[in-house]
Amino acid sequence: MKGNRITLDDIAKKVGVTKMTVSRYLTNPDKVAKATGVKIKAAIDEVGYVPNRVPVMLSQASTKTIGMAVSSFSNLLFSDLIDGAEARARKAGYEILIAHTSYRPEEEERKLNQLMSYQVDAMILTDPVHTPLTIKRLKMSKIPVVELMSLVDNPIDMNIGYNHTKVSYAAIKSLIECGRRHIMYLTARMDARTMNRQTGYLTALKEHNLPAHIYGSEAPSNFTIGAETMRQALLEFPEVDAVFCTNDDVAIGAMIACVEQGVKVPDDISILGYNGLDIGNTTVPKLTSIRTARYDMGKSAVELILMRLRNGDHLETHMELTPMLSLGQTLTTEETQALSRNFDTLYALKMPPLLSEEPSGPRRWLKRTPKER
Amino acid sequence: MKGNRITLDDIAKKVGVTKMTVSRYLTNPDKVAKATGVKIKAAIDEVGYVPNRVPVMLSQASTKTIGMAVSSFSNLLFSDLIDGAEARARKAGYEILIAHTSYRPEEEERKLNQLMSYQVDAMILTDPVHTPLTIKRLKMSKIPVVELMSLVDNPIDMNIGYNHTKVSYAAIKSLIECGRRHIMYLTARMDARTMNRQTGYLTALKEHNLPAHIYGSEAPSNFTIGAETMRQALLEFPEVDAVFCTNDDVAIGAMIACVEQGVKVPDDISILGYNGLDIGNTTVPKLTSIRTARYDMGKSAVELILMRLRNGDHLETHMELTPMLSLGQTLTTEETQALSRNFDTLYALKMPPLLSEEPSGPRRWLKRTPKER
DNA sequence: TTGTAGGCGTTATCAT
DNA sequence: ATGATAACGCCTACAA
């Protein structure tokens, strides 16, 4: 039962003109007689009329709307992505329509369907993996699509992001260069980016004939999970001398566990986070983390879309970004410098064949169901 | 320039039927001949057809869509609200359309306009303050509206939330009962709920003739801001023996500052957070916080909307919730018990006339612009 | 300055 | 089992 919404015609009748006049007033008040305009305004204010954009969408016109499917609202990194995209979109008179996918391709497919059914002019995706149907729908629709965050192998259209595998490879190489030999990968719920990082981690270790130690959980990442997993790791793998974390949440959990157990960071164990969120600045010592330019990515995505929409050009844009280091004290000075150096030359970095098979070393999963509601 | 989207007619022509037959197949495959259905399915799959919901919206029908205007994506509390609402909505075949307001009534007005222009069947609001136009539009539209989080004075329609003023009053009273005399309010960017809490805080102090000490910042709250502000407070107001925080982010910042300065929590200073987010469980000691039932609120909001939509009843539903205590160790045992007791009898609680004027004690604002982009 | 006609893509309704 | 027609509310294009 939906309320009887007010239409242009209702306003028109109140004023004693046709809806066309009211429509004109709405797009440009100067196009109607001043006296008429005043009456129309009064009528609109009186009833709280909200223009219905649906018919406009129907008339093949642009909807001035960009759809954005983000992986999660509980990971702060996506909040920055949205802010960047919205700020740029608004400046151009566009709106962003947001949906979230919970990192699941099928959910992305659902939400994409929903957004496309609103006739969005373009789509921004933040998951790197899609269902075949998602890909087909986007390609057939011909609307501009930007995949954000990860550099992907077969972009649907445009792509801005990081090669997380390469970044992780470079990070682990740096730690090895600086003498770490028992490097652990601390992870949480497996999504595609988590896997990319793992591949980079495994590849670097393999190259140096070092064993892999992967500790993770099935639950979505948070501080508690990170701490629990790290406690377990310290028991089972006490030689650990470096922890590469899939994100800052679990990294902070790891720091908490280290403090509890009297482990010195970074002397005994160095800890490296991923994303460079604000929270890492508040710990003591501050977390060293791989910082991704989230706000700028959101902004750039909209910029690429606007260019395409305006010029109709079909430049294939695939931008590989290189991360900065969010400086803290959870790596040694030497390690920090090695990482910065290696990130600077990331484009030139050659990797050996990627490893995606199971690691040779121990692999430990804490069984733990997501929290009850 | 929008892609030439595929329509029902395109599919129909491919198959050699009219679009009506294809439409029937989509709503109920059994309504067309089996052979026809097979051909239609093939055609749809081949071109990646996405049904266009816009015409459906136009034909006065329900859009099966609920609009939700959340204050922020960078505050985790709203993520739970969204999850609760989405879970319930999906079960009923509804979609949630999300927009964010950055706590600003004018932005809420903009986003409301956007959502209503998509003909949503109902609206969920999470800000407690609205522009007059927002209120008028919602009331005139007659669609079900739920205001979440805060119990408000003049609800637009339905309302589920907390009386944050009363909750804060009860919390401060409890601290006073237990002997605290130098209670500080630690806040951040001022939104309406922050103000409600301040009023409760001031009222309780006034009743006991204690001076108020309010420390805050203009920037959006985060851990860094909380820590900075608390450091300043410790310098200027060293007698402080309790810190009432507007949210868990600044509370954790306060804990960090206390640890740095060698202040014992809760012996020297007790710290109380607000919202009971997961992050409070990871600190040492765990943060004691006032927990709000966010997921359930989101769920209940949709439930009320569905009832209204289905039955057309116009029960005025105004639910006042009472918070639980998220148990930690940043209050003394005695204080924790006092708070729990007082929350249990919150409904019966009588407050003196509210104070909303400026506090009598010192008030200190750290000037700090939001972080550069 | 204002009005009229037609069309956007789907579904309800009424034929065939 | 399938087709034809009308309607939803706005805007573009043309007319007065």
Side-chain angles (χ1 to χ4, degrees), chain A residues 144 304-315, chain B residues 1:
Chain A
L304 290 180
I305 285 170
L306 291 173
M307 280 171 49
R308 174 75 63 82
L309 251 19
R310 285 167 177 166
N311 309 333
D313 57 13
H314 265 252
L315 292 176
Chain B
M1 181 145 319

Side-chain angles (χ1 to χ4, degrees), chain A residues 191-202:
Chain A
D191 63 36
R193 274 185 281 277
T194 299
M195 282 303 302
N196 294 151
R197 290 176 198 128
Q198 178 167 312
T199 303
Y201 163 85
L202 291 175

Side-chain angles (χ1 to χ4, degrees), chain A residues 17-18 20-21 24 32-33 36 58-59:
Chain A
V17 293
T18 59
M20 203 46 238
T21 306
R24 283 198 186 91
V32 307
T36 317
L58 191 53
S59 342

Side-chain angles (χ1 to χ4, degrees), chain A residues 108-125:
Chain A
E108 188 190 58
E109 183 182 301
R110 256 178 62 88
K111 291 297 172 67
L112 178 88
N113 208 55
Q114 185 194 348
L115 293 171
M116 287 186 66
S117 75
Y118 291 127
Q119 309 301 101
V120 294
D121 290 344
M123 275 296 312
I124 298 173
L125 305 178

